[in-house]
Amino acid sequence: MTTALLALAVPGVAYANTVAVTVKTPGTTAGPATTFSEISTHADCSSGLVSGGGINQAIGTGTSSNGNHVNGTGPSSDGSTEYTGSTGVVGTDNTHWLGIGGSGGAVNSSFSSTPYAVCFTSNLINHTQTVMNKAAGPTSSSTPLAVTATCPANTVLLGGGARTTPADVGSLKPIASFPTFNNSTHDYGLKAAADGESNPDSWTAVGYNGGGAGSPTPIRTSGRSAPTTASEPPVGPGPQAGPSRLRIPPPVTPVSPRTGEKASTP
């Protein structure tokens, strides 16, 4: 099983910057229609770069309604390809955001997933990077596993995501995805950034296996970031971390939910 995280960042600047942000969504995609499976959808930026995104789901009613859950949300290079290989900086200047819905042991015809992309244009920020980290597990039921992606030095965190696989372990899903810091105060990513904290440099995803069995594959997490000036270090928000302890050192500069990104100025 795998869990992934994605974080996004942009460069800090010491002078005025013009930024425009637009939300893009293609609407709903029906499914999954079968148990222990998943569907992949994507939202695309027609202009600018993707700085973040999300997913919304319809579950219907009745006892089968809890069978629909999020399996992943994160950036993509083309709207279908996921970052699954080596960790570290895995992509640049992405314009697509994935929304992946999964099913458990029950389905109904109301199941659907809707992806969202946050697209931005800026007169100063022309590039972003995706940073990904991953870890195998959870290896047993009712167990969480956290993995943290850390932005390279001199970048600003933009956002992040999470990804768990495989889909045929229907009780496996991301249960948390949040900004954090790669320091002892935040337990190296296990504690989320608190209200009012500034300059987080990492994103954490937590995967949880509620009871299903299956061969463990890496949990992936990713984040997007961008270079900053010496006067303006990275910034960002964040919620709470998962209970299990897994310390993952920052990736070497070349951290879905799956992947992460950092951005650079021209």
Side-chain angles (χ1 to χ4, degrees):
M1 302 166 217
T2 69
T3 297
L5 171 130
L6 163 69
L8 307 177
V10 294
V13 294
Y15 47 95
N17 183 16
T18 300
V19 177
V21 175
T22 304
V23 175
K24 301 291 287 184
T25 179
T28 62
T29 296
T34 59
T35 59
F36 306 112
S37 62
E38 67 182 18
I39 60 168
S40 180
T41 65
H42 57 94
D44 311 305
C45 297
S46 55
S47 63
L49 301 172
V50 66
S51 63
I55 180 174
N56 189 26
Q57 294 186 308
I59 61 174
T61 59
T63 56
S64 63
S65 62
N66 68 349
N68 198 18
H69 58 261
V70 174
N71 271 1
T73 176
S76 170
S77 61
D78 56 12
S80 60
T81 302
E82 299 185 56
Y83 295 111
T84 60
S86 300
T87 60
V89 176
V90 294
T92 59
D93 299 342
N94 285 332
T95 58
H96 309 273
W97 196 271
L98 299 175
I100 301 167
S103 62
V107 296
N108 68 53
S109 59
S110 297
F111 284 5
S112 70
S113 292
T114 305
Y116 296 88
V118 178
C119 309
F120 80 96
T121 57
S122 167
N123 64 340
L124 292 176
I125 301 163
N126 298 323
H127 302 286
T128 60
Q129 290 182 323
T130 298
V131 183
M132 187 267 285
N133 205 358
K134 60 184 178 181
T139 56
S140 58
S141 63
S142 302
T143 303
L145 178 67
V147 59
T148 300
T150 297
C151 295
N154 301 316
T155 65
V156 177
L157 178 68
L158 289 176
R163 176 72 161 118
T164 56
T165 57
D168 60 6
V169 181
S171 56
L172 175 66
K173 62 187 74 71
I175 60 170
S177 178
F178 52 82
T180 183
F181 297 81
N182 183 36
N183 60 29
S184 59
T185 301
H186 295 81
D187 209 3
Y188 299 95
L190 293 186
K191 295 179 180 177
D195 179 41
E197 285 194 301
S198 61
N199 305 333
D201 59 7
S202 303
W203 196 275
T204 290
V206 181
Y208 183 80
N209 181 6
S215 300
T217 57
I219 291 175
R220 294 187 299 276
T221 180
S222 61
R224 297 182 65 87
S225 65
T228 100
T229 63
S231 61
E232 294 189 67
V235 296
Q240 279 245 14
S244 76
R245 182 181 188 83
L246 175 64
R247 295 189 178 182
I248 301 180
V252 177
T253 302
V255 122
S256 173
R258 169 146 289 194
T259 57
E261 286 204 11
K262 89 179 175 182
S264 60
T265 54

